[in-house]
């Protein structure tokens, strides 16, 4: 089943959701701000995206700037931060089987449907 890690307050996330709705395929909406993904789930997403944990971070968020910017963090520490502060997770993320895409721009989602 296709999953979208969605933040309803984010314009790009809403655009990504619209792409999924228009596709006619079944999908699951995960409101990751309400239920932060576990570290293992984040690792699985990163493997599918083929990126490192820090590449999933919204580095312009106040939380990142105040708590983590300029620090040398291990991948595990970045994953801890993403779990503790899910607002730091880039959005939207769509996972379809073994493929995933960050919907920035939202059209990237079409490439994995």
């Amino acid at each position: 089943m296709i999953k979208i890690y969605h933040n309803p307050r984010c314009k790009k996330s809403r655009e990504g959701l619209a792409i999924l709705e228009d596709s006619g395929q079944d999908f699951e909406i995960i409101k990751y701000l309400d239920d932060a993904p576990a570290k293992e789930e984040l690792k699985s997403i990163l493997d599918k995206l083929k990126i490192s944990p820090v590449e999933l971070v919204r580095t312009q968020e106040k939380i990142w700037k105040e708590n983590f910017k300029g620090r040398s963090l291990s991948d595990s520490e970045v994953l801890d931060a993403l779990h503790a502060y899910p607002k730091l997770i880039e959005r939207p993320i769509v996972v379809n089987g073994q493929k995933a895409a960050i919907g920035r721009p939202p059209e990237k989602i079409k490439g994995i449907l």
Side-chain angles (χ1 to χ4, degrees), residues 54 63-74 77-78 81 85:
V54 76
I63 296 166
W64 183 260
K65 289 180 178 180
E66 290 179 353
N67 297 293
F68 305 104
K69 186 177 179 181
R71 291 179 49 197
S72 179
L73 301 174
S74 68
E77 289 170 323
V78 173
Y85 304 100

Side-chain angles (χ1 to χ4, degrees), residues 12-83:
K12 297 291 184 204
S13 197
R14 290 191 306 270
E15 290 174 8
L17 181 61
I19 288 169
L20 288 179
E21 290 170 342
D22 291 346
S23 78
Q25 297 186 52
D26 290 335
F27 62 91
E28 176 184 0
I29 299 172
I30 298 170
K31 293 183 180 177
Y32 67 93
L33 293 177
D34 298 335
D35 188 19
K39 279 179 74 171
E40 289 304 316
E41 186 175 359
L42 289 168
K43 285 181 191 176
S44 175
I45 292 167
L46 289 165
D47 287 346
K48 291 171 181 137
L49 288 168
K50 298 179 175 68
I51 63 173
S52 68
V54 76
E55 292 176 273
L56 194 60
V57 174
R58 297 174 52 82
T59 57
Q60 297 306 308
E61 287 288 339
K62 183 179 179 182
I63 296 166
W64 183 260
K65 289 180 178 180
E66 290 179 353
N67 297 293
F68 305 104
K69 186 177 179 181
R71 291 179 49 197
S72 179
L73 301 174
S74 68
D75 285 353
S76 182
E77 289 170 323
V78 173
L79 286 169
D80 287 339
L82 291 170
H83 175 71

Side-chain angles (χ1 to χ4, degrees), residues 12-13 15-16 91-94 101-109:
K12 297 291 184 204
S13 197
E15 290 174 8
R91 61 192 182 250
I93 301 168
V94 175
I102 297 172
R104 291 190 171 266
E107 293 74 31
K108 285 186 171 183
I109 295 167

